Amino acid sequence: MLLLLGVRVVGAQPPEQPQAPEPLDKRFTITGRVIDALGRPVRNAKVAIEGTDGSVKTDREGRYRITAPLGATIIVEADGYNPGLATIAGLNVDDIVMLTIAQTTETIEVSGEAPAEAPGAAQLDRQELQRVPGTGGDIVRALTVMPGVVNLQIPLGYSGVVIRGSSPQDSKVLIDDFEVPVLFHNIGFRAITPAETIATLDFIPGGFDVAYGRATSGIVKLETRAGSDDRSTQAEVSFIDGGLVAQGPTGKTKYMFALRRSTIDFILPSLIPDSVDLSLTTVPRYWDSQLRIDHELSSKWKLTFSTLGTDDTFELFATKNEDADEKRFFNRTRFLRTTAAARWSDGPWSAKLAISNLLQEFTFEIGRYQYIRTRFAAVTPRVEVTRTAKQAAGLTDVTWRTGAELQVGRYGIDLALPVEPREGEPMPEFDPEDTSERFNDSIWTPDAAAWTVVQANLDKRIRATTGVRTELFGRGEELSIQPRGELQVKLDKAWTARFASGGYRRPPQYQSELLTKSLGAERSWQNILGVQYEPREGARVQASVYYNDRTALITRNDDGSLGNSGRGYTYGGELLGTYRGGPWFAWLTYSYSTSRRVDQPGMEERLFTFDQPHSMNAAVSWKRGKWTLGGRWQLYSGLPYTPPIGSVFDSDRNIYVPIYGQPNAERAPMHHQLDLRVDRSWKWGPVEMTGFIDVQNVYLNDSIVTYFYSYDYSQRSAFRSLPIIPSLGLRGVL
Amino acid sequence: MRLAIFVIAVIAAGCDADLDPPWELDHDRIIAVRATPVGIVDGERSELDALLSAKDGTTFEQAPLAAQVISPMSLVGALVNDSGKWIVNMPPAAALAVARMELKLAPDAPVPLQVGVGYLVNGVELAALKTVWLGKSVQNPLLAEMVIDGESLDAKTELVVPMLTDVRFSVAAIPDDDVNWLTNVGEMHDFDLPESYLRVEPDEDKLEGELALVKRDREGGVVWRVWPIRVE
């Protein structure tokens, strides 16, 4: 068990905690965001305080920062919109939603939060990410509060998120619209980007827009934060990692730079007892960095340049004898994504142009014979044009978007490994000399996509979205057409019903899938029906039911080759209730799902490996004066597993070969835990201090996560959840 | 990647340690199956036996209670029971030719005869696979340069080791050899390397037992030796 004790030192950053009662006329720096009814930022909106002369403009993300006393009224004006009003109740004002003149005359009212991107979708901003108890302010952990996310105490798959019980590779994580190969570091399971550099996290478990593809389940969208209006530098260090965040303006340019390095590698060797047969020749360590530069070229053109990079490495010997290379494990995972983007707007027209480059390297070496070394380089140009019109072809508030992207990638793969298990196949015996899968060559993956979508109000209550995404997966020479659409019906002022349906594809791009050129893309057809209830500003309840039909799943044929013979389906329901108001932030989710598949025609139906029928999260945070208190309770089903029922000893290889029962026939027990967090701020000389304690699993529930088996599979031992993880931190603000 | 995560998770969190380690002799198991010799040519025969251990901490050699040919099925008749001993006889050339066709081997390639053997230890049914090569002569390896703390193990009939000391063992081996040191006294470190060490802590409840050394080579050959061991 690791005790996470962190110390943070922050310089020249505006305080985030409200102070104890102050004189009513005292002015504070107030921040907030202005968005339209579709949740998109409203740029260049004029933000003023009622009764004063000064004003500021919103940035490209719709964000503003203005000085005002508590209780004052904010007035927002923007071309094409009715004025927006908000009362300042704290240092962070809730999103101000601007309605077009057409919207207000047609009585489709949207107030409070921006609408979810799809039925069942949810959004957290940076402050909320940092407030959710039990997450330690980390993005990967924050994802576990989302409805539909398969919950476990360690991140799952490559991206760290598994959605609606499918396979990890069926969902994508996008940062600023482009995919990242991994979301978390191997050590500490920390996200590759600190929450301080993130503006918003959008979780879309299904029914996502035609602008996104290459996934058959859901997507997680992270939007990085532009540099702030004030120059600031922040430094923090903990027992896990330490880093710097610097941001600010220089003329019409804003910058944000973050650099972080693990610190646990300095501590880890002292935590390992001498009696353990282990040599950490390269102690697990990581770096990550983010750079974002925003430049306003003119009132019509805005440019962004960003980079995101990580580097994880470790080398260990499962012995103290460092000459025993048969016991060596080495891993290095690193990538660098570089993106240049431009946004243009002129009246009803706007466009986003971007080109992104990804360089990725993954090396894993086990013992003397087994290894995989892959290098991947890809370039992705992308363009999207948007045209809005108040009226067109008898429809109102029309938005038309069309775009295209090209993703040309080249993999260099050199591997000598055992045949990997597919979804649901249990782990085979570990034979360090098994290199039955060998490959050493390069693979090109020239993929292209184009999409178009129209959104419009059909009448005063109904808004329709219809679009199509066309994708060409060059390696398999497969062209796919994926129609997608959504209907939103405003039932009354508080109730909205939504129905989304559409087709999705996921190209073969994981592990040995790349080695088989004839493989086709996996497919899903998603149907989602949701209702949304907003009884008052800041309060929202949304419920959805869904059915995902999965076809062409990549499975192993009888001869050991890969094919697209699998079928599967997932159905379930999700409930999300949120409240953001005054000192309260509350979050309640419950998910039910069933996810089953058939690997080959005629075979028995079985559960997906990440089938999790029940998952519940209840979190609440209260902020008043110098104190912020929060708690989170979670309950979720254990995951299925395939039990070994015996073994045969292969004497020549000196290995026990397991004999397994029915795939995923048993399930780990249900887990529940309570996490608590307390923050307190105070003044220490000129420094605004904030201390916090975040304790996970406070009532020490050490339920079973999974089982480990002895070398001959005759005994098993439970791998239990960590009983308690306290995290302490201290922050100073100059 | 998953393995990397697993390694780090185990380092960070640990797991219940109530599984018998692979070097533990107090466990009902087949330690190694031996064919003597492991490869035969015309006119030769090979005998099967095994080194086993039981939960009460004793090791013993025994012929299989049951055995059958797993592959190739055309050579089922090559395995016979001869007065309680399981014997592989070299089949005639014509039968080998059929077996090569069955296994899609080259016309002059040695034929791997895979045999399944069964044992009963403390009421537990144990099964193992063993390959006997037909068409090439292969002998089991020898144990050489066996050393305990600088002294030769060859002539020792009993090992006496001190407590709270790393008692070092070594045996001659090439990189492709598979070496196992097994015991039921103390804790064996690097049990699967040619150079290993044993350490006995004061709280050890067993101060007398056995130490077994098993060496396998690339050809399927196996050799073992077992010593009584005592802690002083």
Side-chain angles (χ1 to χ4, degrees), chain A residues 505-636:
Chain A
R505 298 286 188 280
R506 196 272 288 173
Q509 63 178 128
Y510 290 93
Q511 299 171 309
S512 58
E513 294 172 1
L514 278 167
L515 311 186
T516 308
K517 192 176 180 210
S518 60
L519 275 183
E522 290 195 348
R523 305 173 184 186
S524 76
W525 186 271
Q526 304 186 3
N527 298 293
I528 309 163
L529 178 64
V531 291
Q532 185 174 300
Y533 174 59
E534 292 182 297
R536 50 176 291 195
E537 191 172 332
R540 173 186 288 177
V541 177
Q542 58 188 56
S544 57
V545 292
Y546 61 87
Y547 182 87
N548 293 354
D549 184 41
R550 304 177 189 279
T551 54
L553 300 181
I554 298 171
T555 57
R556 199 170 298 287
N557 298 322
D558 292 339
D559 63 359
S561 62
L562 295 180
N564 289 93
S565 303
R567 293 190 63 97
Y569 61 88
T570 306
Y571 63 84
E574 289 155 3
L575 177 71
L576 168 64
T578 57
Y579 179 72
R580 299 165 169 95
W584 293 97
F585 167 65
W587 184 275
L588 173 69
T589 68
Y590 170 74
S591 308
Y592 170 80
S593 84
T594 293
S595 201
R596 304 183 71 88
R597 59 186 286 157
V598 177
D599 289 337
Q600 293 285 335
M603 288 180 71
E604 279 189 38
E605 191 177 273
R606 65 168 175 83
L607 292 173
F608 271 80
T609 298
F610 294 103
D611 173 75
Q612 188 166 60
H614 303 282
S615 179
M616 181 177 176
N617 273 278
V620 64
S621 176
W622 175 83
K623 190 156 86 172
R624 176 62 59 89
K626 297 176 179 178
W627 290 93
T628 305
L629 310 176
R632 173 199 183 194
W633 188 73
Q634 48 183 322
L635 169 79
Y636 52 82

Side-chain angles (χ1 to χ4, degrees), chain B residues 123-203:
Chain B
V124 179
E125 291 180 9
L126 302 173
L129 301 171
K130 177 68 189 174
T131 301
V132 179
W133 290 94
L134 308 176
K136 69 173 178 181
S137 183
V138 185
Q139 300 299 317
N140 283 311
L142 300 173
L143 290 172
E145 299 174 33
M146 297 177 290
V147 174
I148 173 171
D149 274 345
E151 291 182 36
S152 173
L153 272 166
D154 284 345
K156 289 190 181 290
T157 55
E158 184 189 34
L159 307 181
V160 180
V161 297
M163 203 172 276
L164 287 172
T165 303
D166 293 347
V167 180
R168 300 198 173 270
F169 299 91
S170 66
V171 65
I174 61 171
D176 281 344
D177 287 342
D178 179 73
V179 173
N180 281 182
W181 300 87
L182 306 98
T183 188
N184 46 12
V185 173
E187 184 168 0
M188 186 63 78
H189 297 262
D190 294 343
F191 84 100
D192 51 356
L193 294 179
E195 296 176 352
S196 72
Y197 64 98
L198 175 72
R199 187 174 177 88
V200 183
E201 298 294 336
D203 58 356

Side-chain angles (χ1 to χ4, degrees), chain A residues 597-732:
Chain A
R597 59 186 286 157
V598 177
D599 289 337
Q600 293 285 335
M603 288 180 71
E604 279 189 38
E605 191 177 273
R606 65 168 175 83
L607 292 173
F608 271 80
T609 298
F610 294 103
D611 173 75
Q612 188 166 60
H614 303 282
S615 179
M616 181 177 176
N617 273 278
V620 64
S621 176
W622 175 83
K623 190 156 86 172
R624 176 62 59 89
K626 297 176 179 178
W627 290 93
T628 305
L629 310 176
R632 173 199 183 194
W633 188 73
Q634 48 183 322
L635 169 79
Y636 52 82
S637 308
L639 296 182
Y641 65 93
T642 303
I645 55 176
S647 66
V648 173
F649 179 50
D650 184 336
S651 179
D652 294 332
R653 293 194 296 158
N654 195 17
I655 285 169
Y656 282 82
V657 179
I659 302 167
Y660 285 104
Q662 291 297 311
N664 292 336
E666 295 188 14
R667 184 183 292 282
M670 193 166 266
H671 176 71
H672 54 86
Q673 70 176 55
L674 176 68
D675 309 325
L676 294 175
R677 182 181 172 109
V678 179
D679 293 69
R680 189 182 188 280
S681 57
W682 69 93
K683 218 162 171 76
W684 183 50
V687 183
E688 297 282 350
M689 303 292 295
T690 303
F692 73 87
I693 179 167
D694 193 323
V695 184
Q696 296 179 39
N697 199 2
V698 293
Y699 57 76
L700 306 174
N701 180 25
D702 63 340
S703 56
I704 295 166
V705 177
T706 187
Y707 294 98
F708 287 122
Y709 292 86
S710 62
Y711 62 92
D712 63 351
Y713 301 90
S714 66
Q715 300 169 318
R716 76 176 187 182
S717 174
F719 183 81
R720 294 179 176 276
S721 53
L722 300 176
I724 188 167
I725 306 176
S727 173
L728 304 174
L730 193 63
R731 172 182 289 179

Side-chain angles (χ1 to χ4, degrees), chain B:
Chain B
M1 173 71 86
R2 282 184 181 175
L3 186 58
I5 293 167
F6 168 78
V7 168
I8 300 304
V10 169
I11 291 169
C15 63
D16 291 356
D18 53 0
L19 302 178
D20 286 347
W23 48 262
E24 178 60 68
L25 283 178
D26 278 352
H27 190 93
D28 298 328
R29 65 188 288 194
I30 302 169
I31 297 170
V33 181
R34 178 171 60 189
T36 309
V38 70
I40 54 178
V41 293
D42 285 344
E44 292 184 336
R45 48 190 265 161
S46 177
E47 181 181 341
L48 299 174
D49 70 344
L51 177 67
L52 300 106
S53 71
K55 212 172 176 51
D56 60 6
T58 56
T59 60
F60 53 100
E61 295 180 9
Q62 194 178 82
L65 293 179
Q68 70 176 70
V69 172
I70 305 296
S71 163
M73 293 311 293
S74 60
L75 294 180
V76 165
L79 177 69
V80 296
N81 189 297
D82 183 358
S83 304
K85 295 179 180 177
W86 287 95
I87 305 294
V88 175
N89 291 309
M90 183 66 184
L96 276 188
V98 173
R100 288 187 181 106
M101 289 177 63
E102 183 182 338
L103 298 177
K104 297 175 182 168
L105 298 174
D108 55 349
V111 175
L113 180 80
Q114 193 172 50
V115 179
V117 297
Y119 288 90
L120 198 62
V121 178
N122 286 334
V124 179
E125 291 180 9
L126 302 173
L129 301 171
K130 177 68 189 174
T131 301
V132 179
W133 290 94
L134 308 176
K136 69 173 178 181
S137 183
V138 185
Q139 300 299 317
N140 283 311
L142 300 173
L143 290 172
E145 299 174 33
M146 297 177 290
V147 174
I148 173 171
D149 274 345
E151 291 182 36
S152 173
L153 272 166
D154 284 345
K156 289 190 181 290
T157 55
E158 184 189 34
L159 307 181
V160 180
V161 297
M163 203 172 276
L164 287 172
T165 303
D166 293 347
V167 180
R168 300 198 173 270
F169 299 91
S170 66
V171 65
I174 61 171
D176 281 344
D177 287 342
D178 179 73
V179 173
N180 281 182
W181 300 87
L182 306 98
T183 188
N184 46 12
V185 173
E187 184 168 0
M188 186 63 78
H189 297 262
D190 294 343
F191 84 100
D192 51 356
L193 294 179
E195 296 176 352
S196 72
Y197 64 98
L198 175 72
R199 187 174 177 88
V200 183
E201 298 294 336
D203 58 356
E204 180 68 40
D205 54 1
K206 192 161 187 172
L207 301 179
E208 285 188 20
E210 290 179 319
L211 176 89
L213 168 61
V214 181
K215 187 168 99 168
R216 293 173 171 84
D217 65 18
R218 266 281 202 231
E219 303 275 7
V222 61
V223 60
W224 59 72
R225 183 163 170 189
V226 180
W227 294 266
I229 188 169
R230 179 163 50 87
V231 181
E232 278 193 345

